[in-house]
Amino acid sequence: MSVLLEAKGVSKRFGGLVAVDTFDYRLERQSIASIIGPNGAGKTTFFNVVTGFYKPTTGTILFDGREIGGMRPNRLTRIGIGRTFQTIRLFNNMTALENVLIGMNHRLHAGVFGIGWLGAIVRPPAVVQEEAMAKAEAMELLDYVGLKGHEDDLAKSLPYGLQRRLEIARALATRPKLLLLDEPTAGMNPNETQAMTVFIRRLRDERGLTILLIEHDMHVVMGISEKVTVLDYGQKIAEGPPAEIQRNERVIEAYLGRRALEVLKHA
């Protein structure tokens, strides 16, 4: 299986703070992988580097064989990197349909929200046709993520779990090759978490996506990931299949502390 994303010696420093420290990483196409670690380990910082919100201090990042380190987020969206955020970032006073349409705006020639005043008044056939096609695609995505019938609801009025799904629908509207999900089950009850886990598998299996997760729910991580990478203080301390990571003493120590590790060893 070929590599879609590769980081080589990537570091990100904020003054004297090293958030990510000479991190090497490879992500195979159409795989599901997770990055885990204690709070402050550097997980979201790495996501922000990959998606252009931060420029790497050192190292290189290759996406589909192309160097992307330092590219702006809008350019990375165009070449196939989509993401969601730890804290939901929807346009709260816009409808679910409008949120998804915004996600596809960058790839439309006429532009759903960018046709200009003349196009808005004259509305040539090309604009009308493209708007209709975009709306049909957005409706299909809403149906796919479980939001059929909610297209006219304001984003802020949706239940929390549906807001998470709407954020994924907006990311899918960009037609990504790689989808980065930052804590997709955070704040969900067990039933919602299980449904989201099944849905993430569907995204890979049915749409051919490569998916990289940050997730604190270890049941989700171990149940869905083919590879788990563990960060602690910005450094990779372990990487491998879930069963191997669960037995790794450095991982247990990072999460629970040395004293807890000794208790577990003598239990």
Side-chain angles (χ1 to χ4, degrees), residues 122-177:
V122 178
R123 297 187 58 75
V127 170
V128 174
Q129 182 179 16
E130 191 169 60
E131 283 183 346
M133 292 175 63
K135 183 176 180 180
E137 182 179 344
M139 292 291 285
E140 184 274 328
L141 285 172
L142 288 170
D143 186 14
Y144 186 76
V145 303
L147 280 165
K148 185 176 182 179
H150 292 280
E151 58 271 10
D152 295 324
D153 293 350
L154 293 180
K156 66 182 180 183
S157 72
L158 294 171
Y160 180 83
L162 293 186
Q163 288 187 19
R164 283 281 180 195
R165 286 177 176 260
L166 177 56
E167 195 176 32
I168 292 175
R170 186 178 62 189
L172 293 177
T174 68
R175 295 183 182 173
K177 301 174 187 176

